[in-house]
Each structure stands twice: as C-alpha cells, then as structure tokens.
Amino acid sequence: EQTVHNFLYRHVYLEMIVKYKSSKAIAQAVTFTFSAVLHEFLLAIIFRIFYPVFLLFIVFQIPLIYMTRFMKGRKSGNYLFWIGIIIGPTLITSIYLKIDKDVT
C-alpha cells in the first residue's frame, strides 16, 4: 500500500540522506517543505485558486510540535489533536470556498 508518508519517506527523505548526503535535520526540513508545497498545489488544482491558507496551517504545525511535547501522556494533548483533526480540514475548506466566492 502506497501512502503519502511512504512516498515522501522513500523518494524525498531517503534520497536526501543517501544520494545527497544530507543530515537528518536537513532531510526532514526538505521533506516537510516538499509535502507542504505538494499539498498546497493539490488544493490549488481542486479549488482553482492559489491562496496559501493550507501552507500557513502547515507552518503553524511547527510550534505545535514543540508544544505537544510538553503534553505527552496528558489528556490535553489528546484533546488538542482531536480538535485539530476535526476543525482543521473543515476550516481550511471553508476559507478556500469563501475566498473562491469572493474572487468570482
């Protein structure tokens, strides 16, 4: 089964480490950036508008990663995760549709 994670791991992360002799930190940063740009590109095709809302949400994940390290093993981290999973995609889609309606 080919997933986005497996694709990015094999074709971006491992390529950066093996072929380009990058450090793990640089390979992670490149993979993260490539994933963000790829997902933003797909949303631009779907909504037929480029407005980097999704990209901003992805960049916002960076401080969230560090915040959730302090919440490990606590209910608050679990709540934050589920709120993000439920509200995040809905909010992003709503913003894109609002922008699309305003543009046309």
Side-chain angles (χ1 to χ4, degrees):
E1 178 178 318
Q2 185 71 5
T3 63
V4 174
H5 170 78
N6 289 341
F7 174 82
L8 290 171
Y9 179 74
R10 288 182 190 148
H11 299 289
V12 180
Y13 181 77
L14 288 180
E15 287 287 323
M16 288 296 299
I17 291 175
V18 174
K19 188 174 182 180
Y20 297 105
K21 309 288 188 238
S22 298
S23 68
K24 289 183 178 183
I26 290 174
Q28 287 174 343
V30 169
T31 305
F32 184 82
T33 305
F34 182 81
S35 173
V37 171
L38 180 65
H39 282 86
E40 187 65 47
F41 178 71
L42 291 173
L43 284 176
I45 290 172
I46 291 168
F47 292 111
R48 295 187 181 125
I49 185 172
F50 174 74
Y51 197 79
V53 173
F54 190 74
L55 198 60
L56 293 174
F57 273 78
I58 289 177
V59 170
F60 183 65
Q61 285 182 0
I62 296 170
L64 279 177
I65 291 168
Y66 292 106
M67 281 176 43
T68 56
R69 287 185 181 169
F70 297 111
M71 298 178 182
K72 193 171 187 171
R74 297 183 182 166
K75 287 184 180 181
S76 58
N78 195 19
Y79 294 147
L80 182 64
F81 170 79
W82 283 106
I83 289 169
I85 290 293
I86 293 167
I87 293 175
T90 307
L91 184 61
I92 292 168
T93 305
S94 298
I95 292 170
Y96 266 101
L97 292 175
K98 172 75 173 132
I99 292 166
D100 190 36
K101 188 194 281 186
D102 291 344
V103 171
T104 56

